[in-house]
Amino acid sequence: MTLPSPRRLFFAVATAEAITWTLLLIGMFLKYVTETTELGVRIGGMLHGIVFIAYVLVSIIVWTDRRWDTRTGLITLATAIPPLATLWTERWLDRSGHLTNQWRLTGEQEAPSLPERVVGTALRRPGLAAVGLVCAVAVLTGVALLVGPPVPTS
């Protein structure tokens, strides 16, 4: 299994996050404005929740690998909340040199911090890391479903 570059991986999840936001917004329009169906919210909401979690995890991985400063990392995470802002974030990170075509932590060098050691180990085993990422998304999605929606259901 070949590992996508930080630039390519971040672009993919940022775009998917924006697409699922769009699906959720369409679903909300159908539910609340036209009052025709809530199916769009159920499907779009679930898809968006899953991709949102993936975006956050990938952002943390790239943040760790690229050694972003705290401000850059927090902006990247915060822009997952407003609709379609991840597209702007991806362009900003790419233009400012925060996204590259090479992973820093794929070599055998000793990573100084625990997060860097974890990310470096995962990057050197991309198949196992992909399974771990899918499992983490599934577990976090399950926790979110158990906790329930952010507003009370009527």
Side-chain angles (χ1 to χ4, degrees), residues 84-100:
L84 312 178
T86 56
L87 295 176
W88 170 84
T89 303
E90 186 274 329
R91 285 188 196 99
W92 168 66
L93 290 170
D94 194 35
R95 288 181 185 152
S96 63
H98 287 90
L99 294 175
T100 64

Side-chain angles (χ1 to χ4, degrees), residues 11-145:
F11 173 79
V13 296
T15 302
E17 205 274 344
I19 289 169
T20 60
W21 242 126
T22 302
L23 292 174
L24 180 56
L25 291 171
I26 291 168
M28 290 167 64
F29 179 83
L30 294 173
K31 180 178 180 178
Y32 298 109
V33 176
T34 67
E35 297 182 357
T36 54
T37 182
E38 67 176 58
L39 190 60
V41 172
R42 287 180 187 223
I43 294 170
M46 176 60 83
L47 289 174
H48 178 66
I50 292 167
V51 175
F52 173 86
I53 291 168
Y55 175 86
V56 168
L57 293 174
V58 166
S59 294
I60 292 169
I61 291 166
V62 176
W63 178 357
T64 302
D65 180 79
R66 303 309 320 147
R67 285 190 173 161
W68 293 343
D69 58 52
T70 303
R71 178 184 166 273
T72 301
L74 292 177
I75 289 171
T76 301
L77 293 175
T79 58
I81 297 168
L84 312 178
T86 56
L87 295 176
W88 170 84
T89 303
E90 186 274 329
R91 285 188 196 99
W92 168 66
L93 290 170
D94 194 35
R95 288 181 185 152
S96 63
H98 287 90
L99 294 175
T100 64
N101 288 320
Q102 297 293 325
W103 291 99
R104 181 178 63 86
L105 296 171
T106 55
E108 295 297 324
Q109 77 278 6
E110 187 63 31
S113 69
L114 178 61
E116 288 179 320
R117 286 195 298 272
V118 170
V119 169
T121 300
L123 292 174
R124 289 188 292 277
R125 295 173 180 84
L128 185 59
V131 170
L133 190 61
V134 168
C135 289
V137 169
V139 167
L140 291 170
T141 301
V143 169
L145 288 172

